[in-house]
Amino acid sequence: MRRPLKLTSVLSACGVLLASLTAAAPAEAAEAAAISCGDTDLPVTGPGLPPLVPGSPATVHGRLCLPAGAGPDTVQLLVHGGTYNSAYWDLPYEPARYSYQRDMAAHGYATFAVDQLGAGRSSRPLSLPLSVWAAAESMHEVVGHLRAGRVGGVPFAKVVIVGHSVGSGTVAAEASTYHDVDGVVLTGITHLPALPVLALGAALGLQPAFADEQPAHLGSDPLYFTTKPGARAGLFYAAGDADPGVIAADEATKDQVSVPGMGTVALFGIVLPATWGIAAPVFQVVGEKDVLFCGLLALRDCSDAGVLRAQEAPYYADPSKLSMYVLPGAGHSVALHENAGEYRDATRSWLQNRLGIAPQGYHSIGRN
């Protein structure tokens, strides 16, 4: 027979619970205060950029996230892929688990995530001249702004440029053309994609942005495209390693991409690889189950980082500078899979061991 609980026991238990909650709140508040994020708009005026209204320069919007303490001397410039914007790096869903920016800041690293021209809160010029070279030129100007202290008032001595998917093509073109960065991270890309899957995905999964139901994509330019509703799950995620909440948030924040931009990335980033001209160390990251770049139809074996590195090395002038990482079980959008923390840890290890960039003001955050 169960004995009734005494009132004193109940009150004691409630007191313990209340004490634990009040103790946790300051810890969470301190943790949030340790990370500072702010938005800024930067002018980009290069001669190779698509024209806007005469006399009105294009602007690139970005978010800077800093760790606690004095300003770090290194920043990661984050460049999203096609049909994404900077929300890829700071998804508004379970940020302690999925935000690349907030996790990096909590571990002592600064990041600046931009909206590429044509996406997010950056200028949206005509799509036709928005090639990979125009995108690369705009990122070159952003690198200059970061080094000059025009972002957050911090003059960064070192810049590591990080790309995803189409953004990796932009990053490769920028690094190989201007030689102005200290390290390069390419994610969601190899040099032999699954062409049948890419073609089928484009045919069945893309549509003109003006035809999309989301108001952010309404417009008259026929060469800006976005994904059809529901297409992102099959194109960008691997079953068994994806949170439905993440996919829903991804769908809600999706953006558009310039068709000429995608086409020139495919031609000059893959067929005629811009990676050949990169002089800085490179960290290449691929999801093991990325249907766009891995598997039988891609002629790439992404099950083993060593094997994949050997296949990719010929596309670099100095293969000794190439490091490879495969995120087990993940699809195309490696930063948004359930085990993305492993990829971020691997990136930090590369930053420390290959580039000698140590974290500042380390602050751990909870992650499942």
Side-chain angles (χ1 to χ4, degrees):
M1 180 177 176
R2 297 180 59 186
R3 298 176 62 184
L5 289 173
K6 294 182 179 180
L7 179 60
T8 54
S9 299
V10 174
L11 292 176
S12 176
C14 290
V16 171
L17 177 60
L18 180 61
S20 65
L21 291 175
T22 55
E28 292 176 357
E31 185 175 273
I35 300 172
S36 62
C37 295
D39 291 7
T40 189
D41 293 296
L42 300 170
V44 288
T45 59
L49 298 178
L52 297 173
V53 177
S56 176
T59 59
V60 168
H61 178 86
R63 171 169 293 176
L64 176 69
C65 286
L66 296 171
D73 68 351
T74 301
V75 66
Q76 296 176 60
L77 172 57
L78 310 179
V79 185
H80 63 81
T83 74
Y84 278 100
N85 52 43
S86 58
Y88 174 79
W89 306 105
D90 189 23
L91 196 72
Y93 174 82
E94 292 194 20
R97 182 166 188 174
Y98 293 107
S99 172
Y100 185 98
Q101 282 201 278
R102 296 176 192 277
D103 186 58
M104 282 292 171
H107 285 80
Y109 290 94
T111 59
F112 185 58
V114 296
D115 293 323
Q116 290 208 65
L117 289 175
R121 286 186 278 176
S122 290
S123 298
R124 300 196 174 200
L126 292 174
S127 60
L128 186 60
L130 196 53
S131 68
V132 64
W133 304 115
E137 184 173 350
S138 68
M139 290 302 101
H140 167 61
E141 292 195 33
V142 172
V143 170
H145 288 309
L146 289 167
R147 292 192 183 277
R150 301 188 190 103
V151 180
V154 183
F156 294 102
K158 294 182 179 180
V159 178
V160 177
I161 192 166
V162 183
H164 171 247
S165 191
V166 171
S168 288
T170 298
V171 162
E174 196 284 335
S176 64
T177 302
Y178 300 101
H179 303 286
D180 58 351
V181 295
D182 300 277
V184 177
V185 181
L186 306 175
T187 73
I189 195 169
T190 72
H191 288 89
L192 283 178
L195 292 177
V197 177
L198 283 174
L200 188 62
L204 300 180
L206 295 179
Q207 65 180 9
F210 66 77
D212 196 80
E213 296 178 354
Q214 295 191 35
H217 305 310
L218 297 179
S220 58
D221 191 322
L223 291 182
Y224 276 122
F225 272 51
T226 191
T227 53
K228 293 179 180 178
R232 302 177 83 82
L235 290 174
F236 301 153
Y237 293 89
D241 192 23
D243 183 337
V246 166
I247 298 175
D250 184 346
E251 181 71 31
T253 58
K254 73 178 183 179
D255 217 295
Q256 61 184 15
V257 64
S258 159
V259 172
M262 286 194 301
T264 51
V265 164
L267 179 59
F268 296 105
I270 298 175
V271 178
L272 302 173
T275 51
W276 183 261
I278 298 176
V282 177
F283 188 49
Q284 190 172 342
V285 179
V286 181
E288 178 190 8
K289 297 183 179 179
D290 185 341
V291 297
L292 301 180
F293 288 94
C294 300
L296 179 62
L297 295 178
L299 303 178
R300 279 291 186 255
D301 179 6
C302 297
S303 62
D304 182 88
V307 172
L308 184 57
R309 186 191 178 282
Q311 294 173 328
E312 288 288 296
Y315 298 92
Y316 295 86
D318 185 356
S320 70
K321 293 185 176 181
L322 174 63
S323 302
M324 184 70 63
Y325 179 77
V326 172
L327 183 60
H332 183 62
S333 294
V334 289
L336 300 180
H337 280 73
E338 290 185 330
N339 59 340
E342 298 174 22
Y343 141 62
R344 297 191 299 265
D345 288 341
T347 302
R348 284 187 284 267
S349 294
W350 177 79
L351 289 170
Q352 293 182 58
N353 299 330
R354 189 59 195 254
L355 301 185
I357 299 173
Q360 174 185 304
Y362 178 84
H363 238 352
S364 66
I365 61 177
R367 186 173 72 223
N368 294 331

